[in-house]
Amino acid sequence: MRVLTPLLCLGFALGACVAGPTLVSKSAVVPDGVDFTGMWQLRNGSGVERRSDNAASREDLIVLDRDADPRRGRSKSNRSVQVFIEYGESLKITQTRYGLFISYDRSVVEEFTFGENREVTIGPIEAMRASGWEGDSLVIETLDDAGSILSESWRFEGSKDVLVRNIRITKGDTEIFSRRQVFDRI
């Protein structure tokens, strides 16, 4: 039994190294005084700020996947989380006690449930999503099967008339994409 115990510990340690990244659940409780509800307009120039070599535009981020397996409908792309990024110059945000709805340019609506940690899909792309509150910021993290993580955070800056969105895609310790957007209440 004494020999098995160290071997079991070694096995568990090696198994932990093999396991990929996971998402940590976030708080479902909305902080006092934080309500993003309203109409928001992208501040001129804030959507094109370069923060990495690949951040020039959304088109630069999208990589055609030549390794896709059409029989399975699944992609082997290293950054399938990119399909979960939505953009818009005009936002309508509705916040409830349980979640947030964002309408981008009156066409695409995203829904985020506070405290969720579940699988989400867009067509054949599957990923894990955790969303909720960290301090006064709403944080949404999406993890694809290749280990890439899309992180979005939304928070007020200064007054409640300026909303900041930070977007990052990372794989391990490497930042692949980063953008900061500033929205003014209209």
Side-chain angles (χ1 to χ4, degrees), residues 42-50 89 179-182:
L42 182 66
R43 188 176 287 175
N44 288 339
S46 76
V48 295
E49 177 182 333
R50 286 187 182 209
E89 292 186 14
R179 178 162 298 160
R180 179 177 189 264
Q181 295 181 310
V182 178

Side-chain angles (χ1 to χ4, degrees), residues 28-89:
V29 179
V30 178
D32 288 337
V34 178
D35 188 348
F36 299 145
T37 297
M39 300 294 293
W40 300 91
Q41 183 66 42
L42 182 66
R43 188 176 287 175
N44 288 339
S46 76
V48 295
E49 177 182 333
R50 286 187 182 209
R51 303 265 314 262
S52 71
D53 291 337
N54 295 329
S57 70
R58 183 175 187 179
E59 289 76 23
D60 288 344
L61 177 64
I62 296 171
V63 177
L64 293 177
D65 183 10
R66 292 182 175 87
D67 295 328
D69 183 349
R71 294 167 302 180
R72 291 181 57 209
R74 296 285 311 247
S75 169
K76 297 178 189 173
S77 169
N78 288 336
R79 295 194 299 261
S80 61
V81 293
Q82 68 192 11
V83 301
F84 292 91
I85 301 175
E86 293 296 340
Y87 290 100
E89 292 186 14

Side-chain angles (χ1 to χ4, degrees), residues 6-164:
L7 288 176
L8 285 173
C9 290
L10 179 62
F12 285 125
L14 289 175
C17 291
V18 173
T22 59
L23 299 179
V24 176
S25 295
K26 286 137 188 45
S27 175
V29 179
V30 178
D32 288 337
V34 178
D35 188 348
F36 299 145
T37 297
M39 300 294 293
W40 300 91
Q41 183 66 42
L42 182 66
R43 188 176 287 175
N44 288 339
S46 76
V48 295
E49 177 182 333
R50 286 187 182 209
R51 303 265 314 262
S52 71
D53 291 337
N54 295 329
S57 70
R58 183 175 187 179
E59 289 76 23
D60 288 344
L61 177 64
I62 296 171
V63 177
L64 293 177
D65 183 10
R66 292 182 175 87
D67 295 328
D69 183 349
R71 294 167 302 180
R72 291 181 57 209
R74 296 285 311 247
S75 169
K76 297 178 189 173
S77 169
N78 288 336
R79 295 194 299 261
S80 61
V81 293
Q82 68 192 11
V83 301
F84 292 91
I85 301 175
E86 293 296 340
Y87 290 100
E89 292 186 14
S90 173
L91 307 181
K92 177 183 179 186
I93 299 178
T94 304
Q95 181 174 320
T96 70
R97 182 176 171 189
Y98 305 103
L100 192 80
F101 300 87
I102 304 174
S103 172
Y104 295 87
D105 293 333
R106 298 181 186 202
S107 61
V108 176
V109 176
E110 284 278 349
E111 175 185 358
F112 302 108
T113 303
F114 306 146
E116 76 179 337
N117 195 337
R118 66 179 180 91
E119 185 178 278
V120 292
T121 61
I122 292 182
I125 306 296
E126 298 173 353
M128 291 301 296
R129 171 169 292 153
S131 62
W133 297 93
E134 292 181 356
D136 289 345
S137 296
L138 174 63
V139 177
I140 301 115
E141 293 179 328
T142 307
L143 168 68
D144 68 16
D145 56 358
S148 297
I149 298 176
L150 163 63
S151 299
E152 289 184 68
S153 67
W154 296 82
R155 64 177 176 76
F156 287 125
E157 184 172 84
S159 72
K160 293 184 180 181
D161 291 328
V162 178
L163 184 62
V164 174

